[in-house]
Amino acid sequence: LAVTMAGRDPAIVAGAGRHLLDAGWLLVEHGYDQGLIVREVFTQAGFVQVETLRDYGGNERVTLGQWVVRNVS
């Protein structure tokens, strides 16, 4: 995934909504210097409550977001 995000190919995140239930969560581990871009990819894909967690060394390491199905009425 780190290579995928570094190349700015958000295929994993963009396609995740097809596999998640409403209010499901996606968590991805990434390189220490990729937190910002991964958060942007999550947000652009429609995830909410996006945040990045740090590892024991203080590096941004895991980004997560919640998938919420929006009703179109």
Side-chain angles (χ1 to χ4, degrees):
L1 181 62
V3 173
T4 302
M5 289 301 174
R8 296 179 184 256
D9 178 4
I12 293 172
V13 176
R18 293 189 306 265
H19 306 284
L20 293 171
L21 296 175
D22 187 26
W25 289 86
L26 176 66
L27 292 83
V28 296
E29 182 179 17
H30 50 74
Y32 73 94
D33 59 347
Q34 295 178 315
L36 177 61
I37 187 65
V38 177
R39 286 190 300 275
E40 289 174 359
V41 168
F42 268 66
T43 301
Q44 290 172 3
F47 284 83
V48 297
Q49 297 190 48
V50 176
E51 66 177 290
T52 300
L53 306 176
R54 295 182 180 270
D55 62 20
Y56 289 125
N59 300 304
E60 292 186 328
R61 186 60 63 190
V62 174
T63 295
L64 57 113
Q66 187 176 33
W67 181 253
V68 177
V69 177
R70 287 156 181 84
N71 291 328
V72 180
S73 302

